[in-house]
Tab-separated table of all heavy atoms in Angstrom:
chain	number	residue	atom	x	y	z
A	19	ASP	N	1.040	-10.637	7.450
A	19	ASP	CA	1.100	-11.113	6.072
A	19	ASP	C	0.087	-12.254	5.950
A	19	ASP	O	0.428	-13.425	6.117
A	19	ASP	CB	2.508	-11.640	5.736
A	19	ASP	CG	3.426	-10.575	5.182
A	19	ASP	OD1	2.932	-9.509	4.779
A	19	ASP	OD2	4.644	-10.811	5.149
A	20	PHE	N	-1.148	-11.916	5.700
A	20	PHE	CA	-2.230	-12.904	5.638
A	20	PHE	C	-2.857	-12.787	4.252
A	20	PHE	O	-3.475	-11.775	3.918
A	20	PHE	CB	-3.248	-12.618	6.739
A	20	PHE	CG	-4.315	-13.661	6.942
A	20	PHE	CD1	-4.241	-14.916	6.346
A	20	PHE	CD2	-5.408	-13.389	7.760
A	20	PHE	CE1	-5.211	-15.872	6.546
A	20	PHE	CE2	-6.397	-14.340	7.973
A	20	PHE	CZ	-6.299	-15.573	7.365
A	21	HIS	N	-2.670	-13.822	3.427
A	21	HIS	CA	-3.094	-13.758	2.033
A	21	HIS	C	-4.032	-14.914	1.686
A	21	HIS	O	-3.896	-16.025	2.210
A	21	HIS	CB	-1.889	-13.795	1.094
A	21	HIS	CG	-1.039	-12.569	1.157
A	21	HIS	ND1	-0.014	-12.420	2.067
A	21	HIS	CD2	-1.064	-11.427	0.414
A	21	HIS	CE1	0.561	-11.236	1.879
A	21	HIS	NE2	-0.055	-10.624	0.895
A	22	THR	N	-4.932	-14.618	0.764
A	22	THR	CA	-5.891	-15.596	0.257
A	22	THR	C	-5.732	-15.720	-1.249
A	22	THR	O	-5.599	-14.713	-1.956
A	22	THR	CB	-7.333	-15.155	0.572
A	22	THR	OG1	-7.483	-15.039	1.993
A	22	THR	CG2	-8.340	-16.149	0.026
A	23	LEU	N	-5.754	-16.950	-1.730
A	23	LEU	CA	-5.796	-17.206	-3.163
A	23	LEU	C	-7.244	-17.481	-3.535
A	23	LEU	O	-7.862	-18.404	-2.997
A	23	LEU	CB	-4.919	-18.406	-3.520
A	23	LEU	CG	-4.854	-18.756	-5.010
A	23	LEU	CD1	-4.040	-17.713	-5.774
A	23	LEU	CD2	-4.244	-20.145	-5.209
A	24	THR	N	-7.797	-16.665	-4.442
A	24	THR	CA	-9.151	-16.903	-4.917
A	24	THR	C	-9.109	-17.341	-6.373
A	24	THR	O	-8.276	-16.876	-7.156
A	24	THR	CB	-10.039	-15.645	-4.792
A	24	THR	OG1	-9.573	-14.636	-5.684
A	24	THR	CG2	-10.033	-15.115	-3.368
A	25	VAL	N	-10.013	-18.233	-6.720
A	25	VAL	CA	-10.188	-18.675	-8.102
A	25	VAL	C	-11.635	-18.370	-8.478
A	25	VAL	O	-12.565	-18.887	-7.852
A	25	VAL	CB	-9.879	-20.169	-8.274
A	25	VAL	CG1	-10.149	-20.608	-9.700
A	25	VAL	CG2	-8.432	-20.461	-7.890
A	26	ASP	N	-11.806	-17.506	-9.445
A	26	ASP	CA	-13.137	-17.041	-9.858
A	26	ASP	C	-13.924	-16.523	-8.654
A	26	ASP	O	-15.131	-16.781	-8.497
A	26	ASP	CB	-13.911	-18.154	-10.565
A	26	ASP	CG	-13.263	-18.564	-11.887
A	26	ASP	OD1	-12.609	-17.708	-12.506
A	26	ASP	OD2	-13.397	-19.741	-12.275
A	27	GLY	N	-13.201	-15.809	-7.774
A	27	GLY	CA	-13.826	-15.165	-6.626
A	27	GLY	C	-14.018	-16.029	-5.411
A	27	GLY	O	-14.491	-15.541	-4.371
A	28	VAL	N	-13.656	-17.303	-5.474
A	28	VAL	CA	-13.861	-18.235	-4.357
A	28	VAL	C	-12.523	-18.512	-3.663
A	28	VAL	O	-11.549	-18.879	-4.333
A	28	VAL	CB	-14.474	-19.558	-4.847
A	28	VAL	CG1	-14.641	-20.541	-3.686
A	28	VAL	CG2	-15.806	-19.297	-5.527
A	29	PRO	N	-12.433	-18.362	-2.321
A	29	PRO	CA	-11.177	-18.668	-1.620
A	29	PRO	C	-10.852	-20.160	-1.702
A	29	PRO	O	-11.692	-21.002	-1.369
A	29	PRO	CB	-11.463	-18.256	-0.172
A	29	PRO	CG	-12.654	-17.355	-0.240
A	29	PRO	CD	-13.462	-17.834	-1.411
A	30	VAL	N	-9.633	-20.480	-2.152
A	30	VAL	CA	-9.228	-21.881	-2.237
A	30	VAL	C	-7.985	-22.172	-1.399
A	30	VAL	O	-7.660	-23.341	-1.169
A	30	VAL	CB	-8.971	-22.310	-3.699
A	30	VAL	CG1	-10.255	-22.197	-4.518
A	30	VAL	CG2	-7.858	-21.492	-4.334
A	31	ALA	N	-7.289	-21.136	-0.934
A	31	ALA	CA	-6.091	-21.356	-0.109
A	31	ALA	C	-5.786	-20.084	0.666
A	31	ALA	O	-6.044	-18.961	0.203
A	31	ALA	CB	-4.893	-21.742	-0.980
A	32	HIS	N	-5.245	-20.276	1.871
A	32	HIS	CA	-4.846	-19.159	2.735
A	32	HIS	C	-3.448	-19.412	3.278
A	32	HIS	O	-3.042	-20.561	3.475
A	32	HIS	CB	-5.786	-19.015	3.935
A	32	HIS	CG	-7.213	-18.773	3.593
A	32	HIS	ND1	-7.696	-17.567	3.167
A	32	HIS	CD2	-8.294	-19.610	3.643
A	32	HIS	CE1	-9.000	-17.646	2.964
A	32	HIS	NE2	-9.382	-18.882	3.242
A	33	GLN	N	-2.751	-18.332	3.577
A	33	GLN	CA	-1.463	-18.429	4.272
A	33	GLN	C	-1.356	-17.275	5.261
A	33	GLN	O	-1.493	-16.108	4.884
A	33	GLN	CB	-0.308	-18.390	3.283
A	33	GLN	CG	1.014	-18.821	3.901
A	33	GLN	CD	2.111	-18.932	2.868
A	33	GLN	OE1	3.044	-18.146	2.870
A	33	GLN	NE2	2.001	-19.912	1.982
A	34	PHE	N	-1.132	-17.629	6.526
A	34	PHE	CA	-1.065	-16.660	7.618
A	34	PHE	C	0.396	-16.558	8.058
A	34	PHE	O	0.965	-17.517	8.585
A	34	PHE	CB	-1.939	-17.145	8.782
A	34	PHE	CG	-2.096	-16.165	9.918
A	34	PHE	CD1	-3.305	-15.521	10.133
A	34	PHE	CD2	-1.052	-15.903	10.795
A	34	PHE	CE1	-3.471	-14.639	11.201
A	34	PHE	CE2	-1.199	-15.026	11.851
A	34	PHE	CZ	-2.420	-14.386	12.050
A	35	CYS	N	0.994	-15.395	7.832
A	35	CYS	CA	2.390	-15.156	8.193
A	35	CYS	C	2.497	-13.896	9.056
A	35	CYS	O	1.600	-13.040	9.043
A	35	CYS	CB	3.264	-14.971	6.958
A	35	CYS	SG	3.271	-16.351	5.798
A	36	ALA	N	3.587	-13.780	9.758
A	36	ALA	CA	3.925	-12.562	10.493
A	36	ALA	C	5.200	-11.992	9.895
A	36	ALA	O	6.202	-12.703	9.769
A	36	ALA	CB	4.127	-12.865	11.974
A	37	ARG	N	5.158	-10.719	9.518
A	37	ARG	CA	6.341	-10.077	8.952
A	37	ARG	C	6.996	-9.213	10.034
A	37	ARG	O	6.358	-8.334	10.618
A	37	ARG	CB	5.979	-9.199	7.765
A	37	ARG	CG	7.211	-8.648	7.052
A	37	ARG	CD	6.856	-7.663	5.961
A	37	ARG	NE	5.993	-8.223	4.919
A	37	ARG	CZ	5.759	-7.597	3.776
A	37	ARG	NH1	6.295	-6.409	3.525
A	37	ARG	NH2	4.963	-8.161	2.885
A	38	TYR	N	8.269	-9.490	10.273
A	38	TYR	CA	8.963	-8.783	11.354
A	38	TYR	C	10.446	-8.699	11.028
A	38	TYR	O	11.069	-9.707	10.693
A	38	TYR	CB	8.758	-9.542	12.678
A	38	TYR	CG	9.322	-8.861	13.906
A	38	TYR	CD1	8.612	-7.856	14.550
A	38	TYR	CD2	10.554	-9.240	14.424
A	38	TYR	CE1	9.124	-7.243	15.683
A	38	TYR	CE2	11.075	-8.622	15.557
A	38	TYR	CZ	10.355	-7.626	16.179
A	38	TYR	OH	10.863	-7.007	17.308
A	39	GLN	N	10.987	-7.488	11.112
A	39	GLN	CA	12.415	-7.257	10.914
A	39	GLN	C	12.930	-7.885	9.624
A	39	GLN	O	13.976	-8.540	9.597
A	39	GLN	CB	13.208	-7.788	12.112
A	39	GLN	CG	12.836	-7.167	13.446
A	39	GLN	CD	13.239	-5.713	13.572
A	39	GLN	OE1	12.919	-4.900	12.725
A	39	GLN	NE2	13.944	-5.377	14.628
A	40	GLY	N	12.177	-7.696	8.534
A	40	GLY	CA	12.650	-8.140	7.235
A	40	GLY	C	12.464	-9.603	6.912
A	40	GLY	O	12.965	-10.090	5.896
A	41	THR	N	11.705	-10.328	7.757
A	41	THR	CA	11.438	-11.747	7.514
A	41	THR	C	9.939	-11.992	7.627
A	41	THR	O	9.275	-11.444	8.510
A	41	THR	CB	12.177	-12.634	8.530
A	41	THR	OG1	13.588	-12.489	8.347
A	41	THR	CG2	11.813	-14.103	8.351
A	42	SER	N	9.407	-12.814	6.726
A	42	SER	CA	8.021	-13.249	6.833
A	42	SER	C	8.023	-14.678	7.375
A	42	SER	O	8.606	-15.587	6.773
A	42	SER	CB	7.327	-13.203	5.464
A	42	SER	OG	5.937	-13.423	5.603
A	43	PHE	N	7.391	-14.869	8.535
A	43	PHE	CA	7.375	-16.161	9.226
A	43	PHE	C	6.060	-16.883	8.914
A	43	PHE	O	4.977	-16.374	9.212
A	43	PHE	CB	7.495	-15.967	10.738
A	43	PHE	CG	8.774	-15.311	11.179
A	43	PHE	CD1	8.854	-13.932	11.302
A	43	PHE	CD2	9.896	-16.071	11.463
A	43	PHE	CE1	10.034	-13.322	11.710
A	43	PHE	CE2	11.083	-15.475	11.870
A	43	PHE	CZ	11.154	-14.095	11.992
């Protein structure tokens, strides 16, 4: 679960998670 927030196409924030057995860590 690795997501990036872009504003007008530019990355401004990231969050790196691991999803396992129904939980995102």
Side-chain angles (χ1 to χ4, degrees):
D19 270 345
F20 189 12
H21 291 87
T22 300
L23 181 72
T24 67
V25 177
D26 295 331
V28 178
V30 297
H32 300 284
Q33 194 173 112
F34 187 109
C35 301
R37 187 186 301 192
Y38 185 82
Q39 301 291 52
T41 295
S42 189
F43 298 91

